[in-house]
Amino acid sequence: MNVTSEVITDLLSIYFSGEASADTRTLVEDYFRQHPDFERTARDAAKPLDALRSVASVAADSAHEKRGLERVRRALQRRMLLFGVSLFLTLVPLSFQFTGGRVISLMVRDAPWEAALCWSLAAFSWFLYFARPRQRVAALIAVIYFSLIPVPFVWHSVVVGEPVGVVPFIVWMCAAVVLIGNFGRARRSRM
């Protein structure tokens, strides 16, 4: 029988893994004796596999796996919450009341500045949802955004002579809470 190098190449994986039968080992070793250059090339190619085989397998730590799964679960819950908030803020300005055959109190028509505030907050929420920045970066972006977004609304109220309202102050309070929470977490992590 004429044994070609392709046949031996096909058998090398089971030969080097130690799973070959006695006849297969004999066939491969005979071919190696007849073709020493091929043997040298095959053994050089098998060295990385031997190095991998010599590394001890790492057993998974159940506590480590549990922490990882818990981290993933919390991240998914945050994403679901962010999606809900984004969708809510997008749809709130389109809300209306239908009574007696007519539309009463369409937010976009009756309170355009509040609708613009909701949509600007929705834009920020959608940005966080799709961009998925790290938590510290997202907190700093939120502080900057919550600090700046009420400025045009307050400026408009002052110029027109209307009362400012409570919404910008609530947004600024959110900025303060995020800022304090962000620095508090950074200080706790350094300790």
Side-chain angles (χ1 to χ4, degrees):
M1 179 176 162
N2 188 13
V3 179
T4 63
S5 63
E6 287 82 20
V7 172
I8 299 299
T9 303
D10 292 340
L11 297 174
L12 287 178
S13 60
I14 59 172
Y15 175 78
F16 286 122
S17 68
E19 298 173 2
S21 66
D23 292 338
T24 303
R25 279 195 307 272
T26 304
L27 179 68
V28 170
E29 289 167 359
D30 287 344
Y31 191 83
F32 282 168
R33 274 192 290 282
Q34 294 170 3
H35 303 90
D37 291 337
F38 183 84
E39 178 185 12
R40 205 171 312 114
T41 304
R43 292 203 186 275
D44 287 343
K47 284 181 184 175
L49 295 175
D50 291 336
L52 285 176
R53 211 174 289 122
S54 67
V55 175
S57 62
V58 177
D61 181 21
S62 64
H64 179 69
E65 283 181 5
K66 187 175 180 181
R67 281 192 309 270
L69 288 173
E70 195 63 30
R71 214 174 304 126
V72 169
R73 185 183 64 76
R74 281 192 311 267
L76 288 174
Q77 283 178 339
R78 277 194 305 269
R79 285 206 30 96
M80 285 189 330
L81 178 68
L82 189 58
F83 180 81
V85 167
S86 302
L87 189 61
F88 175 76
L89 289 172
T90 301
L91 296 177
V92 160
L94 301 175
S95 64
F96 60 89
Q97 187 178 30
F98 191 71
T99 315
R102 11 178 258 165
V103 174
I104 298 174
S105 180
L106 180 63
M107 184 182 224
V108 173
R109 180 189 67 205
D110 297 337
W113 282 94
E114 285 83 0
L117 179 64
C118 283
W119 276 334
S120 63
L121 293 173
F124 172 69
S125 299
W126 285 117
F127 167 75
L128 289 180
Y129 181 77
F130 287 113
R132 294 194 300 192
R134 292 188 173 174
Q135 195 166 358
R136 277 186 65 83
V137 173
L140 291 175
I141 292 170
V143 167
I144 293 167
Y145 191 80
F146 287 153
S147 297
L148 295 179
I149 200 63
V151 171
F153 301 101
V154 171
W155 179 77
H156 171 73
S157 296
V158 169
V159 169
V160 173
E162 295 176 354
V164 174
V166 72
V167 175
F169 295 107
I170 292 173
V171 174
W172 279 325
M173 292 284 284
C174 290
V177 166
V178 171
L179 184 66
I180 291 168
N182 191 29
F183 282 126
R185 184 180 26 230
R187 192 167 29 124
R188 282 191 301 272
S189 66
R190 276 188 250 135
M191 290 182 178

